[in-house]
Amino acid sequence: MKTPIEYIIVAEPFHADAATHDDLARKVNEKLSAGYELCGSPILSEDMMYQAMTKPIFHGSPLHAE
């Protein structure tokens, strides 16, 4: 049986300045510290930047206790 995963997308409005990249990096680093892993490379659109992330769900964890 495969380990179930939690899937999230971190989003940040895109502006043509470097602060946007710093803001997305800060949010992604917070999720990395919480046990999430990167899933692919960042996705850019005209007005948003996205980063997909996953985290294994282990039975018995405080958030997913049975």
Side-chain angles (χ1 to χ4, degrees):
M1 182 175 177
K2 293 185 179 181
T3 303
I5 61 169
E6 184 174 333
Y7 183 84
I8 64 168
I9 297 175
V10 178
E12 183 66 32
F14 179 75
H15 301 289
D17 60 20
T20 297
H21 300 276
D22 292 342
D23 291 341
L24 182 66
R26 180 185 49 76
K27 289 181 179 180
V28 167
N29 285 331
E30 288 175 5
K31 295 297 183 185
L32 289 171
S33 295
Y36 286 88
E37 299 174 357
L38 299 176
C39 182
S41 56
I43 301 166
L44 303 175
S45 72
E46 287 185 26
D47 56 351
M48 295 292 288
M49 294 174 60
Y50 305 96
Q51 176 62 60
M53 303 183 82
T54 60
K55 180 179 181 180
I57 298 172
F58 298 107
H59 293 290
S61 68
L63 294 177
H64 299 87
E66 292 183 0

